[in-house]
Amino acid sequence: MPFYKNLNNARAADRQTAEGLLRLKPALDAAIPAKAVDLTLLLASWNIREFGGTKYGGRDKEPLFYIAEILSRFDLIAVQEVRDNLDALDELMGILGSWWKYLVSDVTIGQQGNRERHAYIYDTRKLSFGGLAGELVPPMTKTGETLGSDFAFSRTPYLAGFRAGWFKFTICTQHLYYGEAKADEPQRLKEAEMLVKLLKGRMASKDRWANNSILLGDFNVFSTDDQTFMALEKGNFVIPKGLRGKYTNAKLDKPFDQMAFLAPDVERQIHEVRAGVFPFFQHVYRDSDHTRYLPDETLKEYKDWRTYKMSDHLPIWVELGVDFGKEYLERKAIVPV
């Protein structure tokens, strides 16, 4: 192709990206609270479909700019479905800026692991990494002379410790096994129950890293009536009212993604915190853009294609108050009788 045609294509792509960002930015302004230096923590979770994969050519510059714009509205984002190849993640970080950092897990070995990693992307202006990072695994058992475990996660949960203002917490992200497209698939349910059990055990330990625990990710919940969903509440994890039952997949018919708290320091605010799901396909890669991107394909094919550019899941988020200075002073001011 002649150079000038490549140049024209590049200019058209830049113009298209700029138009998309001009639609996306005011929509994010309206939906997501503004960042605050000390008062709040904006926490999100997003399964970014096969992030680092190569289907349909992987991520182009255009979707990476859209993804970066969305992520930039939060302080800490747990990301699921990061693939073994980290080139797309590194390119995304270059767009976000040098003050953004990430932690990433190793790839879970085995067919069910699907070459996936978990990642935390965080704004160092708001959060400090506490030094704790590791994968959550069931305890070893001994049968005769053999050490082993009768259970393993399809994708190993990833846990890390952070501090934001007065709020010190551990965060654990997971992508539960999907299996058959039905509620309470047996392996998925067992993974949910084991995950909650392990986290509760750590919170009960005198050697716990922090008094607050956050569990979030893609749990493949089909309904809030599922036992998979109820495993969270049976473990005393609290789900914000603003997220409960919200559809989080691109088709808007399943509450796959969840965020739950076992966190005494924010317990009083969890039910009423601002929270939500951001439907980015209303603003970029819209249904009405079908013929612009894939004029020779059906709308159904276009809708599948665009999930590999953005995702088949929507980001979920909450805003937490993390300035506990007043409460601290009030405790200090109490005069013993």
Side-chain angles (χ1 to χ4, degrees):
M1 180 180 291
F3 168 76
Y4 70 86
K5 288 191 175 180
N6 280 327
L7 186 60
N8 287 338
N9 288 341
R11 286 173 176 168
D14 287 347
R15 182 172 62 251
Q16 188 165 273
T17 303
E19 291 171 355
L21 288 170
L22 286 171
R23 293 191 302 269
L24 191 59
K25 284 175 176 288
L28 286 163
D29 289 341
I32 312 296
K35 285 188 174 186
V37 176
D38 299 314
L39 299 179
T40 62
L41 171 67
L42 282 163
L43 174 65
S45 177
W46 193 4
N47 178 325
I48 304 179
R49 189 175 198 177
E50 294 191 20
F51 194 57
T54 58
K55 189 166 183 178
Y56 295 122
R59 257 71 182 192
D60 312 305
K61 283 282 189 182
E62 182 181 357
L64 284 174
F65 273 100
Y66 298 154
I67 291 168
E69 183 64 36
I70 294 169
L71 296 183
S72 72
R73 300 307 178 103
F74 306 106
D75 300 310
L76 171 61
I77 310 99
V79 181
Q80 304 84 46
E81 279 202 39
V82 177
R83 286 303 187 89
D84 45 358
N85 187 314
L86 296 176
D87 288 350
L89 178 58
D90 288 332
E91 191 171 358
L92 174 70
M93 299 303 293
I95 297 171
L96 283 169
S98 61
W99 56 94
W100 287 88
K101 303 296 181 186
Y102 71 75
L103 299 173
V104 68
S105 70
D106 200 358
V107 177
T108 303
I109 296 173
Q111 184 175 356
Q112 289 187 350
N114 201 30
R115 307 197 324 273
E116 290 180 24
R117 307 174 186 267
H118 293 103
Y120 295 109
I121 300 175
Y122 63 102
D123 187 339
T124 60
R125 298 172 302 179
K126 173 60 69 70
L127 290 112
S128 58
F129 169 55
L132 172 71
E135 296 177 330
L136 201 61
V137 295
M140 299 292 288
T141 58
K142 185 173 183 180
T143 304
E145 298 300 317
T146 304
L147 283 172
S149 175
D150 60 356
F151 177 84
F153 290 102
S154 56
R155 288 168 286 252
T156 311
Y158 190 43
L159 183 136
F162 288 95
R163 184 188 293 274
W166 293 74
F167 187 43
K168 182 182 180 185
F169 60 98
T170 57
I171 184 169
C172 181
T173 186
Q174 172 61 330
H175 184 186
L176 292 182
Y177 180 70
Y178 186 77
E180 295 183 29
K182 65 178 184 180
D184 296 328
E185 203 279 344
Q187 181 177 331
R188 188 191 313 142
L189 176 57
K190 188 170 183 180
E191 285 194 7
E193 293 171 341
M194 178 61 75
L195 178 60
V196 169
K197 179 181 178 181
L198 291 174
L199 279 178
K200 281 199 69 179
R202 276 165 169 71
M203 289 300 292
S205 169
K206 64 180 178 62
D207 299 317
R208 61 185 177 272
W209 189 85
N211 293 328
N212 304 289
S213 180
I214 303 170
L215 173 58
L216 73 178
D218 176 7
F219 297 143
N220 284 312
V221 169
F222 278 59
S223 164
T224 52
D225 295 326
D226 291 2
Q227 291 300 312
T228 306
F229 176 83
M230 293 180 183
L232 297 171
E233 295 186 323
K234 287 178 181 176
N236 298 323
F237 280 84
V238 179
I239 297 166
K241 188 185 300 182
L243 289 178
R244 189 181 181 88
K246 290 289 181 68
Y247 295 144
T248 68
N249 60 334
K251 293 181 179 178
L252 291 173
D253 61 2
K254 297 289 189 300
F256 282 148
D257 306 88
Q258 299 293 326
M259 190 182 298
F261 296 80
L262 191 59
D265 287 351
V266 294
E267 185 176 12
R268 286 184 294 178
Q269 61 175 287
I270 285 300
H271 286 292
E272 303 302 328
V273 291
R274 289 196 283 184
V277 179
F278 184 70
F280 49 80
F281 283 136
Q282 293 179 13
H283 313 288
V284 295
Y285 294 102
R286 301 165 297 178
D287 290 0
S288 59
D289 296 324
H290 165 210
T291 56
R292 178 185 229 183
Y293 288 101
L294 295 181
D296 299 325
E297 308 296 338
T298 66
L299 179 60
K300 181 179 179 182
E301 289 168 330
Y302 165 71
K303 286 185 174 182
D304 180 60
W305 170 86
R306 69 183 180 178
T307 65
Y308 289 91
K309 299 302 174 182
M310 293 296 292
S311 184
D312 56 345
H313 288 247
L314 308 176
I316 63 174
W317 61 271
V318 301
E319 180 190 44
L320 296 174
V322 293
D323 182 1
F324 308 143
K326 182 173 181 288
E327 291 86 345
Y328 174 79
L329 292 173
E330 286 174 344
R331 288 196 302 270
K332 287 292 185 180
I334 294 174
V335 179
V337 177

